[in-house]
Amino acid sequence: MNRADLNKKTKDIASMFDEVAPRYDLMNGIASLGQHIYWRKQTVAAVDARPGQRVLDIAAGTGTSSEPFADAGVDVVAADLSEGMLAVGRKRRPDMTFVQADVTDLPFEDEEFDAVTMSYGLRNVADFPRALREMYRVTKPGGRIVVLEFSTPAFAPFAAIYKNCVLPAIPPVAKVLSSNPESYVYLGESILDWPGQAELAQHFADAGWADVKYRNLTGGIVAIHRGFKPSK
Ligand SMILES: C[S@@+](CC[C@H](N)C(=O)[O-])C[C@H]1O[C@@H](n2cnc3c(N)ncnc32)[C@H](O)[C@@H]1O
């Protein structure tokens, strides 16, 4: 069974998600205790895309994060590293555009998209500052970035319960339900290793994004970071 570690080698990440793919969406709902629906809605609202606009959903996986855009008449490209995740997506949503792509080396022209978004993907990229620069490159001036990612709960006692009780409870559930239970050990490790909200916001600014803001959801279990590419 393939499981990545905190070195996050691209090959290990891709094969881990290839194995996760068949039951990814089922586990996602259970591990988040249903909160994922609310988190996704807030992310889609933050992107604020209009029908006809072109949006890149990178690390789209099976396309679950891209669907609301397609359903609203937005021209969304669902791109992902893992062929296994894309295969599940293409089968489920043959009407959507799926593209194999690494966020650190995107196969798109400069300034192609009105917005770029990424849900639960950035944490899996070893060179994530480079990913933030690549996303900046393919975004039109005036366009925006919206990233949903696991984060650091703001209230210390809640953070302790989350770290010591909630995260350790996920791998045993995954043992029963997931096609790659080991990957849920990596999930907990990678969440605890990830920069906090303010530090991550600084990485966005370093990549060129302006007016960077973040918003905690469910006490900071996840956070949405948003920024703009300055107009010319
Ligand atoms: C947890 S899934 C998220 C899928 C989807 N965005 C969602 O919200 O359900 C993370 C995805 O990130 C993708 N990924 C990891 N590293 C990547 C990279 N360097 N470039 C593109 N996608 C990547 C994985 O293949 C996986 O499908």
Side-chain angles (χ1 to χ4, degrees):
M1 196 132 302
N2 286 304
R3 154 215 197 303
D5 57 28
L6 292 179
N7 291 317
K8 302 180 185 175
K9 286 198 186 116
T10 308
K11 189 169 71 58
D12 296 346
I13 294 282
S15 51
M16 179 178 77
F17 278 104
D18 285 346
E19 289 187 5
V20 164
R23 309 195 83 178
Y24 168 76
D25 287 296
L26 171 72
M27 256 316 283
N28 208 12
I30 291 168
S32 72
L33 302 173
Q35 288 289 298
H36 68 298
I37 297 169
Y38 165 62
W39 297 341
R40 276 201 203 290
K41 275 198 178 142
Q42 298 304 314
T43 306
V44 171
V47 176
D48 194 26
R50 304 291 143 90
Q53 283 191 331
R54 193 158 158 76
V55 170
L56 173 64
D57 181 21
I58 181 69
T62 61
T64 312
S65 46
S66 325
E67 271 176 308
F69 299 107
D71 294 343
V74 173
D75 177 12
V76 64
V77 175
D80 198 275
L81 187 64
S82 156
E83 283 292 1
M85 294 290 270
L86 291 167
V88 172
R90 287 189 183 111
K91 203 165 168 192
R92 220 167 39 82
R93 286 295 302 248
D95 58 312
M96 286 184 4
T97 304
F98 288 91
V99 173
Q100 202 275 334
D102 181 343
V103 65
T104 60
D105 188 13
L106 290 170
F108 302 109
E109 300 293 321
D110 293 358
E111 304 180 357
E112 246 195 71
F113 296 96
D114 294 287
V116 289
T117 182
M118 196 174 193
S119 294
Y120 315 118
L122 196 58
R123 180 180 32 85
N124 299 305
V125 183
D127 193 353
F128 71 87
R130 180 171 165 174
L132 292 170
R133 292 195 298 273
E134 263 298 87
M135 289 190 273
Y136 185 89
R137 180 184 68 75
V138 301
T139 302
K140 290 179 188 171
R144 69 177 69 188
I145 185 171
V146 173
V147 170
L148 169 67
E149 191 48 271
F150 287 100
S151 203
T152 308
F155 182 53
F158 179 51
I161 293 168
Y162 177 64
K163 179 179 169 185
N164 298 316
C165 306
V166 179
L167 288 178
I170 296 174
V173 177
K175 250 190 190 141
V176 181
L177 292 176
S178 174
S179 43
N180 182 350
E182 281 295 305
S183 66
Y184 290 85
V185 178
Y186 161 80
L187 173 74
E189 287 173 359
S190 62
I191 289 173
L192 294 176
D193 186 56
W194 188 238
Q197 289 85 329
E199 189 184 336
L200 186 59
Q202 186 56 52
H203 283 285
F204 278 62
D206 292 346
W209 296 102
D211 192 19
V212 177
K213 296 210 163 51
Y214 64 82
R215 182 177 158 214
N216 289 333
L217 301 178
T218 318
I221 288 184
V222 300
I224 294 175
H225 282 71
R226 189 222 60 196
F228 292 91
K229 182 164 179 171
S231 301
K232 280 181 179 161

